[in-house]
């Protein structure tokens, strides 16, 4: 079994709340140690969404090396991964994140409403705190035996879908919205979209809580014909499959915008604001943007993105404003208790 899928299994066993140190450990504090004592490591906690483990491992290693060389200060960066909405609730309930790098801005807004992040947090970092973007694509079995080409194929009687639960997962929300948009942006009515979504979830035998769980369900357990997943996760999944899986790009999909933020209350208490700011600023440097691109996320720097045209297939991306006006409206309408998802989805008994 590959490292990728061993990691997936372990993460699932820990219910998506895994914490791991990239390097070192120590109290959260900026500054030097007492005279004659070895300097204490600064420690950060980055709470992120489910399929970003590989990205942050590389980012953390490079940033730590650069920061330690420049300052002489030891640094450790710990990670927590899980379904984006579940992660947001954990931080609001006391998980001591210094930074959050979640799938959905609505999840970061929920932490802001809990009093931990300042208002207008999106303006803290460049490009409205969006260092990269992504989308939802299809993963299918070798040779695409069911001939899946676009969204309309997903509701055929011979198709089974794997996608995470939109109540807990950013991947799940984005898959739902991408499918909805495929109908209404091609001239279909809201009723047509609701009927389509209902059929899609009738063909979804498993709703995992996060993206990596769905990867394991599809790739390891071999359940389903089509996996709706992040573009970056699709590339990793295919690379680890030894030729057993491949990617299909639909004609259009949603633009996913995973923004980054400081957890202001926590960095103030931990005295880690300056290093946390430098950490997230590193994402926008040429080196950070290259790491992002090589991990199959679309960098916000258009010049660097243009250097990776062989990695990112062309696809029409639509923004949430075309469907619901804003992410906040989409959350309330589609995913809140009693919303559209609750009205159409009936769990298997």
């Amino acid at each position: 079994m590959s490292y990728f899928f061993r990691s997936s299994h372990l993460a699932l066993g820990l219910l998506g709340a895994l914490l791991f140190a990239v390097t070192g450990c120590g109290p959260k504090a900026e500054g030097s140690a007492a005279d004659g004592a070895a300097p204490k490591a600064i420690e950060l906690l980055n709470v992120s969404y489910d399929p970003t483990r590989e990205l942050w491992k590389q980012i953390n290693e490079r940033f730590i090396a650069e920061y330690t060389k420049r300052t002489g200060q030891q640094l450790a960066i710990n990670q927590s991964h899980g379904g984006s909405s579940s992660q947001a609730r954990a931080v609001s309930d006391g998980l001591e994140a210094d930074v959050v790098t979640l799938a959905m801005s609505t999840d970061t807004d929920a932490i802001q409403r809990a009093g931990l992040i300042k208002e207008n947090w999106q303006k803290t970092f460049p490009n409205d705190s969006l260092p990269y973007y992504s989308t939802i694509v299809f993963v299918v079995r070798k040779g695409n035996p069911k001939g899946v080409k676009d969204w309309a194929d997903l509701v055929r009687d011979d198709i089974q879908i794997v996608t995470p639960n939109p109540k807990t997962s950013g991947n799940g929300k984005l898959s739902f919205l991408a499918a909805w948009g495929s109908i209404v942006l091609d001239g279909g009515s809201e009723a047509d979209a609701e009927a389509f979504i209902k059929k899609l979830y009738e063909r979804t035998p498993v709703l995992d809580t996060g993206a990596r769980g769905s990867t394991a369900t599809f790739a390891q357990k071999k359940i389903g014909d089509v996996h709706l997943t992040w573009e970056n996760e699709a590339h990793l999944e295919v690379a680890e499959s030894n030729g057993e899986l491949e990617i299909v790009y639909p004609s259009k999909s949603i633009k996913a915008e995973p923004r980054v933020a400081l957890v202001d209350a926590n960095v103030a208490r931990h005295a880690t604001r300056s290093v946390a700011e430098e950490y997230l600023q590193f994402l926008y440097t040429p080196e950070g943007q290259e790491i992002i691109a090589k991990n199959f996320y679309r960098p916000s720097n258009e010049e660097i993105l243009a250097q990776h045209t062989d990695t990112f297939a062309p696809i029409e991306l639509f923004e949430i404003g075309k469907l619901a006006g804003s992410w906040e409206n989409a959350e309330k309408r589609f995913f809140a208790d009693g919303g559209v998802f609750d009205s159409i989805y009936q769990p298997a008994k």
Side-chain angles (χ1 to χ4, degrees), residues 256-310:
E257 299 176 312
R259 302 181 193 275
V260 300
L262 299 175
V263 184
D264 295 281
N266 291 346
V267 295
R269 185 166 59 255
H270 303 155
T272 54
R273 179 177 295 276
S274 64
V275 65
E277 287 178 344
E278 289 186 47
Y279 175 49
L280 294 184
Q281 287 284 3
F282 177 75
L283 300 172
Y284 296 90
T285 65
E287 184 178 12
Q289 291 282 287
E290 279 290 340
I291 295 171
I292 284 166
K294 289 176 180 178
N295 280 271
F296 310 109
Y297 301 82
R298 300 186 181 223
S300 60
N301 184 312
E302 293 293 335
E303 292 182 1
I304 292 178
L305 177 64
Q307 296 169 14
H308 294 271
T309 54
D310 56 335

Side-chain angles (χ1 to χ4, degrees), residues 11 24 80 188 224 333:
S80 174
R333 179 182 178 193

